[in-house]
Amino acid sequence: ENREDMLSSKSNRLTEALEEANKLFSGVSCAREAALDAQFLVLASNLGKEKANELHSEMTAFDSLTFAEDLLTFMGINRVQVEENDSDSESTSGGYLPSNAWRKLGEETEKYFRRAPSFHYMLGSFKSDPPVPRQRIERQKKARGGEEKRAMPAQLKKMEESHQEATEKEVERILGLLQTHFKNDPDTPISFFDLVIDPNSFARTVENIFHVSFIIRDGFARLKLDDDKLPIIEPSKENEGKGDHHSAGARNQVVISLNHQEWK
């Protein structure tokens, strides 16, 4: 009865009818009522389809045939020449496009596609010539003479002795400073860190700890902890000798971790 009113784009009667049908469907209890609801759904679907067809979206549909015709015209096809060739001979094959037709289309479509930059070499192109093979130089066989064998161990031994002598002299120097300071003021404990740390050189500090470790190892000095749990060092007494195996066995080895930040 209200078909025209429902098909109007300004009317919401179809939506209101669907909402009312949903409310009525909640009370359906028999098959006849369910059949009426299904019949209403069919009518509502048809009305919705007709209402959708009447909408004007102002959009043109894509026509492939029209597009192809326009494309051929842009590429320069001659319709007159096509008709003449068709009437003259039916056996001729191939298109009637000019020789530069596809190039013309490519130059036009190139504007609408992003392209990667052209590749070029920074230092010129690579050489295609193979590398020149290097000449193989045969190694000279080592002579079996005794002089050459004795030369290298003697040189290394000399270097080791010089390094060992420098270490021994530095250890003796530090031990002399420690004994002198303790003799002048035996009641004041000597801080281990005050002794070994060089404020101007981290590498020198590590060397000092290394040299002091020989003094501790040989029993010339010993480490203790003060009331603040910080290490102090003092020379050993004369009767606590370096040759006492019992005292050497009672000593413990300690590893100190010291990085650059802690040194600062």
Side-chain angles (χ1 to χ4, degrees), residues 87-240:
S87 60
D88 293 342
S89 175
E90 296 180 357
S91 63
T92 57
S93 59
Y96 306 97
L97 293 173
S99 59
N100 64 338
W102 290 106
R103 179 180 180 86
K104 183 179 181 182
L105 177 63
E107 292 176 352
E108 180 65 23
T109 56
E110 187 180 15
K111 306 174 184 177
Y112 306 101
F113 290 91
R114 294 182 179 179
R115 293 192 308 162
S118 59
F119 181 79
H120 63 280
Y121 295 97
M122 296 179 63
L123 301 176
S125 59
F126 292 106
K127 295 181 180 180
S128 59
D129 299 334
V132 179
R134 295 182 180 179
Q135 295 181 357
R136 185 176 181 179
I137 301 176
E138 296 183 358
R139 296 182 179 178
Q140 297 180 355
K141 296 183 180 180
K142 295 182 179 180
R144 296 184 178 181
E147 295 180 359
E148 187 175 355
K149 288 185 178 180
R150 289 194 299 269
M152 184 59 67
Q155 185 178 3
L156 290 176
K157 184 177 180 181
K158 185 178 180 181
M159 291 176 62
E160 292 176 356
E161 289 177 354
S162 61
H163 180 70
Q164 184 177 0
E165 290 176 359
T167 303
E168 290 178 355
K169 290 180 181 180
E170 187 66 20
V171 171
E172 292 176 358
R173 187 184 70 86
I174 296 176
L175 179 60
L177 293 174
L178 181 64
Q179 292 175 345
T180 302
H181 182 81
F182 189 77
K183 187 181 297 183
N184 295 334
D185 192 1
D187 297 331
T188 303
I190 304 172
S191 172
F192 173 75
F193 293 114
D194 289 344
L195 177 67
V196 299
I197 289 180
D198 187 343
N200 301 320
S201 174
F202 176 72
R204 185 64 179 170
T205 301
V206 175
E207 290 181 359
N208 292 338
I209 296 176
F210 173 70
H211 292 143
V212 171
S213 66
F214 288 101
I215 300 175
I216 303 298
R217 183 199 64 179
D218 296 336
F220 291 107
R222 57 186 177 183
L223 286 175
K224 296 190 301 183
L225 296 179
D226 58 5
D227 297 337
D228 297 328
K229 300 299 180 180
L230 295 176
I232 57 176
I233 186 171
E234 63 180 13
S236 300
K237 297 179 181 179
E238 295 181 358
N239 55 358
E240 295 178 358

